Each structure stands twice: as structure tokens, then as C-alpha cells.
Amino acid sequence: KIKIQTTRTDWILEVIALIGLLLTIFLVIISYNDLPDVIPRHYTGNGQPDGYGTKSLLFIVPAMAIAIYIAMTLAARYPNTLNYPVRITLENASKQYANLIMMMRIIKLLIVAMSLYLTFATIQIGLGKMHGLGNWFLPLTVLSLLGTIGIFIHRGFRLS
């Protein structure tokens, strides 16, 4: 077990993610009464709504974001219990742990940002101010998450 120091960048990522999470919750709370009873609950690959449900379903996205945020925050506290693409040794442990923790912070921030946008867009669509998420939402989501993971796995191999 090695204690990894929290850097200024780490704190900035954490604060931005927390603010995004709070904004997501705030959006649902302030918009809920203005929404129609039925809003989009599912979208096609090109961002068009193709499933509808009650507006109470809007709470699911922030709830999932909160659960992921908490799970990833807790997991980052115990980097020695997680899986790595390389063998962990006394020589590389601190670098590998710091690399994985940074990856988790960035992924956490990406998930919060996507949840914030998805919540915002669903509200706007429900109010008739938008018609879909945009063609770019799914490709950008997949690319940003897989790209981040790929970059940090590559970096992990270089650090070993």
C-alpha cells in the first residue's frame, strides 16, 4: 500500500466533477414542474428520442451519475486493489497507482459531463426547445471514454 499525494490537477478535476454533478441535480429540481408528464427516456444512435416515459424518470440519470461518482471516488482510494495491465512492483507502484487514479478522475469527469448534457438535453426536448441530442453525442461519448482508457493503458505500459 502506497499513499498517492493529491495534486492540484487532481483537486481541480474533482471540483469540476462535483460542480457538474450538483448542476445536474439542480437542473432536474428547477425544471421538473415545468416539464410535461411524458419526456424522452431513450435515444437512437443518432440522438433522436425513440422511447418515452414519465418525467420522474429524469431522476435516473443524476442518480446513476451520483452512484458512479461515489464508486469511482471510493475505488480511487484503494488503487492497490484494482487491476493493472502490467505487474505491480515496488519500483513502479506509485507511478501506476497515480496513473490509474488520474484516469479514474478524468473518466468520472467525462461521465458527469455526459450526464449533465443528457439531463439538459432531455429537459430541453421535453420543453420543445430541442429535437434530439445531436448526431455527435454517441460517437463523442464512446470516443472520449475509450480514448481516455486507451491513452492511460498505453501510459501504464510505458511507466512499467
Side-chain angles (χ1 to χ4, degrees):
K1 287 186 174 183
I2 297 171
K3 175 80 172 147
I4 303 300
Q5 293 296 327
T6 306
T7 67
R8 182 177 179 174
T9 302
D10 293 328
W11 283 111
I12 290 169
L13 291 171
E14 288 293 333
V15 167
I16 293 170
L18 186 57
I19 289 169
L21 196 58
L22 294 173
L23 279 173
T24 305
I25 296 164
F26 181 71
L27 266 177
V28 172
I29 292 169
I30 64 166
S31 303
Y32 190 79
N33 290 333
D34 296 332
L35 290 169
D37 291 335
V38 176
I39 61 169
R41 66 166 175 82
H42 189 269
Y43 297 90
T44 64
N46 65 355
Q48 294 303 309
D50 69 345
Y52 296 86
T54 64
K55 67 181 179 179
S56 62
L57 292 172
L58 192 60
F59 289 102
I60 291 175
V61 173
M64 288 175 37
I66 291 167
I68 291 168
Y69 181 92
I70 291 170
M72 291 187 82
T73 299
L74 292 174
R77 292 180 149 215
Y78 305 99
N80 58 305
T81 64
L82 303 172
N83 292 322
Y84 293 82
V86 297
R87 187 171 179 271
I88 301 299
T89 64
L90 288 174
E91 293 78 30
N92 72 5
S94 62
K95 290 179 183 176
Q96 291 292 337
Y97 292 173
N99 186 53
L100 184 76
I101 290 168
M102 180 60 74
M103 180 185 77
M104 291 178 70
R105 284 193 169 108
I106 291 172
I107 290 173
K108 184 169 45 174
L109 178 58
L110 289 171
I111 289 170
V112 167
M114 291 168 206
S115 299
L116 176 59
Y117 177 74
L118 185 59
T119 300
F120 171 78
T122 300
I123 290 167
Q124 294 303 303
I125 293 165
L127 295 173
K129 296 179 181 179
M130 284 175 63
H131 300 290
L133 300 176
N135 292 333
W136 55 269
F137 182 75
L138 182 60
L140 183 62
T141 297
V142 172
L143 184 63
S144 63
L145 290 173
L146 293 180
T148 299
I149 292 167
I151 288 167
F152 279 92
I153 286 175
H154 176 70
R155 188 172 169 205
F157 279 116
R158 282 195 356 230
L159 292 171
S160 62

